Amino acid sequence: MAVPLALVAGATVALAPLWLPRLAEHWAAKEGFRGMLSREVSKSMKVEGQFAPLALRDWRVRTESFESEGMPGEAIGLLNVYGIEGEFDPAGVWDRAWRVNWIRAERGRIALRMPDDSKKIVAPKGKPPPWAALLPDHFECGPIHAKDVLLEFPFEGKTATVSNLSVTATLVGRDFKYHGTNGVLDCPLLPPLRVEEMDIFVTRPMIEILGSRFRALEPGDPARATAKGKIDRKST
């Protein structure tokens, strides 16, 4: 009896690369996948959000929206994205990862705020089920690109905005770095400026502006400006 059981077990393991992706695809078409994806994306972005119903074909996921509010004390106060398409990688389960290769969106709105550790909530951790050791335990995401974004961030006690910004967000460890081009900066103490390049790194203690470049709105105007620095609780 032991020999047939060993053969069955060996065949199951050998054929796993064939049946596991099919099983995962069947599950991904259900509401459970939308809930998981909403939770994992929310966790990585430090927000509380939900995807609209998903449409899945050949591991390409499409949805109308992801709408969320920032978790208490975190740097992202609001994150709404619309017209979303992404590619899910089922092979990530072998590395115990929920893996999304890339995400693209038509438009969005991001509101940044200063992190405040005193307001952050530490969620209690329950005892994991026995099968938890077999499930993915982290989220991996490739670049997130949105064509038309309204970005809001605190500056000198007021709110600065960048409209019509093309943004690529990259996950760096547990934080996100945002790279933007085009768009118009409307910032306190400055006239409106065209964004040539803008890099913002959002971490737990601060919002860091990295080597950003701007120019005047009028094509013939030679005015140029650069920005680099850190915004923390002491500067607001």
Side-chain angles (χ1 to χ4, degrees):
M1 190 66 176
V3 173
L5 287 176
L7 290 175
V8 171
T12 301
V13 172
L15 294 175
L18 298 179
W19 61 260
L20 185 58
R22 291 179 181 273
L23 181 63
E25 185 172 17
H26 176 72
W27 173 68
K30 298 183 177 297
E31 278 296 294
F33 179 76
R34 181 164 76 105
M36 178 281 298
L37 194 61
S38 296
R39 287 192 301 273
E40 293 300 325
V41 171
S42 293
K43 187 190 303 181
S44 68
M45 292 285 193
K46 302 178 180 67
V47 299
E48 295 176 336
Q50 185 75 28
F51 281 100
L54 306 174
L56 176 71
R57 184 175 181 180
D58 298 330
W59 295 111
R60 293 283 181 91
V61 181
R62 294 179 176 84
T63 182
E64 289 296 320
S65 65
F66 175 80
E67 296 184 327
S68 69
E69 293 184 359
M71 297 180 68
E74 299 292 352
I76 296 179
L78 178 145
L79 176 65
N80 293 339
V81 188
Y82 302 95
I84 304 168
E85 180 182 12
E87 183 179 73
F88 181 70
D89 181 6
V93 297
W94 297 111
D95 298 322
R96 298 195 66 195
W98 301 116
R99 183 180 297 149
V100 178
N101 293 331
W102 50 263
I103 296 175
R104 291 194 286 261
E106 292 296 324
R107 59 188 178 88
R109 179 188 172 199
I110 305 171
L112 303 179
R113 63 190 180 191
M114 290 314 309
D116 188 344
D117 287 339
S118 67
K119 296 180 180 179
K120 292 179 181 178
I121 299 174
V122 180
K125 293 185 178 181
K127 185 178 180 180
W131 59 85
L134 303 176
L135 296 175
D137 61 0
H138 66 285
F139 178 71
E140 297 178 2
C141 186
I144 303 172
H145 179 70
K147 297 178 182 178
D148 182 2
V149 173
L150 173 63
L151 175 65
E152 305 170 6
F153 60 95
F155 185 81
E156 295 294 330
K158 298 181 179 180
T159 299
T161 64
V162 183
S163 56
N164 305 118
L165 188 67
S166 177
V167 174
T168 298
T170 305
L171 186 61
V172 181
R174 296 185 177 182
D175 302 304
F176 272 90
K177 180 180 178 182
Y178 300 87
H179 176 77
T181 57
N182 300 318
V184 176
L185 171 68
D186 189 355
C187 186
L189 309 179
L190 293 173
L193 295 169
R194 178 74 61 189
V195 177
E196 291 186 337
E197 189 174 46
M198 188 174 190
D199 290 290
I200 297 179
F201 190 32
V202 180
T203 62
R204 289 180 63 89
M206 69 185 68
I207 299 171
E208 187 172 3
I209 301 174
L210 309 168
S212 301
R213 297 182 291 111
F214 311 92
R215 59 179 171 80
L217 292 180
E218 295 299 326
D221 192 331
R224 296 288 187 272
T226 60
K228 185 176 183 181
K230 298 177 181 180
I231 305 172
D232 55 25
R233 287 189 293 274
K234 295 179 181 179
S235 61
T236 57

